[in-house]
Amino acid sequence: MSTSPTRIAVFGAGYVGLVTGACFAELGHSVVVRDIVGARIDALRRGEVPIYEPGLDDLLARNSERLTFTLDVADAIEGADFVYVAVGTPPTYSGDADLSAVWTVVDELPVIDRPCTVVMKSTVPVGTGLRVRHRLDERGLEHVGYVSNPEFTAEGTAVKDFMRPDRVVVGAFREEDGDGVAALHAGIDAPVVRCDVASAEMIKLAANAALMTRISFINEIANVCEATGADVVRVAEGIGLDRRIGPSFLRAGVGYGGSCFPKDSLALKQLAANSGYHFQLLNAVIEVNELQKRRVIGKLHHHLGSLRDRNVALLGLAFKPHTDDMREAPSLVLAGRLLAEGANVSAWDPVVDGIDLHGVRMAETVEDAAAGADAVVLVTEWPQLAEVDWSAVAQTMRTKIFVDGRNMLDQEMLRGAGFAVEGIGRAAAGGAA
Ligand code: UGA
């Protein structure tokens, strides 16, 4: 291993690429991030961070002398020991992952005559690495290594997740290529799982599928709790203390969203189907999640009857707190359903800005969103919502219904404020509606 700083080119300046680049710079490597969007690169060069990710701006600023940004492929590849691929792999209509951005990177690689390793960070179907390997070989780049190094960072905690991961997965065709990528992570205290490329690709998809399965599982338990008078918050606590089960990802709510779970579940389902296997459990996980997003509507019907001309305030729009990401956010489905039923919808989110949710009135404050409302629905558990004076909010509402779609707030407190309260999977509460 050389003692001069390793040079890493990262293709893609999205969430994954920027976090990967910034964290590798923090670990002492020299990093160049390449993207095709000029405005994005210009902003990054000016020191502006185009996404909301806690800690990322500090990290980029602190390591600015080890980080450069470019639009130019040749610039990026010049002297690179590793070429990280961190481009988007969105779903196609068939549910397969769209790998066109990945192939563009592979095909754009110039002739490289030094040792260099292409590292896949993007989430790709099992078998992609082998196809990339063949494509590199066809182009006379047999000496260029290929490694799958999937990412497990979650939005909102990505920097911490990268620097303090539960594990690093390195799947390689050649031992020495894997050694190189494992060595890049020196300074990170985590077990390194070394395996073949296909297994590394599957670890990523299976990890997300396991997490989604837990969410849909607890959401179904929540729905049964509602029907039987049990409280899913207590149930989750009670089962989560079993060490074999563990407490994570047992928060019942309005379903999962985001840029990863919905996309990756479709990709895995499609990957299985393409191989002739019907992945029953995953199909159920996806269906439960779709239905879960709509359950809030049933709760509103229960209290208000028809929703025509009712005023409903959605609190929190991002698919989870601490991000401005609206991709596959349950709030989109909720807003769409409410508008389709003739309700007037207002919304508040502390970070999501400038988004045009057709027909939704965007409010600057929770109080403004809720004024005159018949019901408020807590969709995303932003911590700011714990600071709101709910008694004052209730005074301004037409009908005082509170649906806590994340079981975030204390129900007794809300009832004390005058609300009829519903959570997810909790015994329905009365109150002065
Ligand atoms: C997820 C995984 O957690 C990461 O490990 C993975 O790297 C990433 O996808 C990816 O594939 O790139 P992320 O989508 O950022 O990360 O967010 P999560 O924190 O996992 O939350 C996903 C969704 O599940 C959110 O809508 C959240 O509200 C929901 N969720 C999570 C629940 O409804 N209940 C829970 O108990 C946990």
Side-chain angles (χ1 to χ4, degrees):
M1 252 185 48
S2 70
T3 47
S4 61
T6 313
R7 191 168 155 88
I8 302 174
V10 179
F11 278 64
Y15 280 99
V16 175
L18 280 180
V19 170
T20 302
C23 291
F24 274 139
E26 175 82 358
L27 289 171
H29 307 304
S30 154
V31 177
V32 49
V33 179
R34 189 261 176 174
D35 202 283
I36 54 170
V37 181
R40 188 161 267 242
I41 292 299
D42 288 344
L44 286 161
R45 283 179 174 154
R46 286 194 302 270
E48 293 163 22
V49 186
I51 53 171
Y52 178 80
E53 183 60 45
L56 183 59
D57 41 3
D58 283 353
L59 209 59
L60 289 169
R62 189 160 69 236
N63 294 291
S64 59
E65 82 282 8
R66 277 194 293 275
L67 269 165
T68 53
F69 302 96
T70 186
L71 285 167
D72 191 67
V73 176
D75 247 15
I77 300 295
E78 174 81 48
D81 304 297
F82 297 88
V83 176
Y84 264 81
V85 182
V87 294
T89 53
T92 60
Y93 282 112
S94 60
D96 293 281
D98 177 357
L99 296 180
S100 51
V102 170
W103 291 122
T104 303
V105 174
V106 174
D107 292 341
E108 277 179 353
L109 289 179
V111 175
I112 303 172
D113 47 20
R114 305 160 280 102
C116 180
T117 302
V118 171
V119 191
M120 188 59 68
K121 203 65 170 155
S122 301
T123 301
V124 294
V126 181
T128 304
L130 194 58
R131 290 169 63 201
V132 175
R133 180 69 270 160
H134 290 324
R135 192 96 143 220
L136 291 170
D137 294 348
E138 279 160 23
R139 293 196 49 213
L141 296 171
E142 292 92 344
H143 59 287
V144 171
Y146 181 89
V147 169
S148 168
N149 175 217
E151 62 92 16
F152 302 100
T153 58
E155 287 179 24
T157 52
V159 170
K160 177 175 82 46
D161 294 344
F162 192 101
M163 299 305 282
R164 282 186 277 136
D166 291 342
R167 78 308 207 180
V168 172
V169 173
V170 175
F173 294 111
R174 292 189 301 233
E175 192 76 10
E176 60 271 29
D177 298 335
D179 293 345
V181 171
L184 286 181
H185 295 81
I188 289 180
D189 182 20
V192 178
V193 178
R194 297 287 299 268
C195 57
D196 58 283
V197 171
S199 299
E201 292 167 340
M202 184 55 100
I203 287 171
K204 167 67 193 182
L205 293 174
N208 274 0
L211 294 170
M212 285 179 262
T213 303
R214 284 177 72 99
I215 297 171
S216 279
F217 167 77
I218 201 66
N219 281 337
E220 287 216 288
I221 292 288
N223 299 341
V224 179
C225 282
E226 271 174 25
T228 54
D231 182 339
V232 75
V233 176
R234 295 280 87 80
V235 173
E237 186 188 339
I239 62 175
L241 283 167
D242 185 323
R243 259 174 292 198
R244 294 165 302 175
I245 298 173
S248 308
F249 277 71
L250 288 179
R251 280 176 285 116
V254 292
Y256 60 76
S259 62
C260 304
F261 284 175
K263 163 178 86 78
D264 292 351
S265 59
L266 287 180
L268 181 54
K269 172 181 157 172
Q270 199 54 35
L271 176 73
N274 294 345
S275 332
Y277 185 72
H278 179 61
F279 199 149
Q280 285 196 63
L281 181 58
L282 190 59
N283 281 314
V285 166
I286 295 168
E287 191 184 343
V288 166
N289 195 57
E290 283 312 309
L291 295 174
Q292 195 67 19
K293 293 186 212 165
R294 290 158 176 79
R295 272 185 81 84
V296 165
I297 305 289
K299 291 175 187 290
L300 293 174
H301 280 154
H302 171 72
H303 287 273
L304 297 170
S306 163
L307 298 180
R308 175 155 299 281
D309 297 326
R310 291 295 196 168
N311 301 332
V312 180
L314 301 180
L315 304 181
L317 293 173
F319 82 98
K320 66 175 195 176
H322 311 295
T323 174
D324 60 353
D325 201 334
M326 285 294 291
R327 285 176 284 181
E328 302 288 334
S331 63
L332 294 170
V333 172
L334 270 171
R337 274 304 323 147
L338 288 167
L339 291 169
E341 301 212 10
N344 306 309
V345 183
S346 57
W348 164 87
D349 190 283
V351 171
V352 173
D353 200 13
I355 181 164
D356 187 12
L357 289 176
H358 297 288
V360 174
R361 177 176 72 82
M362 292 295 291
E364 288 290 317
T365 61
V366 171
E367 290 76 7
D368 180 23
D374 293 295
V376 293
V377 181
L378 190 160
V379 187
T380 312
E381 65 277 37
W382 282 102
Q384 291 89 324
L385 293 169
E387 309 301 324
V388 171
D389 178 350
W390 292 108
S391 297
V393 168
Q395 297 311 313
T396 69
M397 288 175 59
R398 191 162 71 173
T399 317
K400 301 174 190 17
I401 312 291
F402 197 113
V403 181
D404 186 347
R406 298 290 182 175
N407 294 334
M408 175 190 180
L409 299 179
D410 181 60
Q411 295 208 345
E412 281 310 313
M413 177 275 292
L414 290 172
R415 268 179 232 128
F419 285 104
V421 187
E422 288 241 18
I424 304 290
R426 317 193 78 178

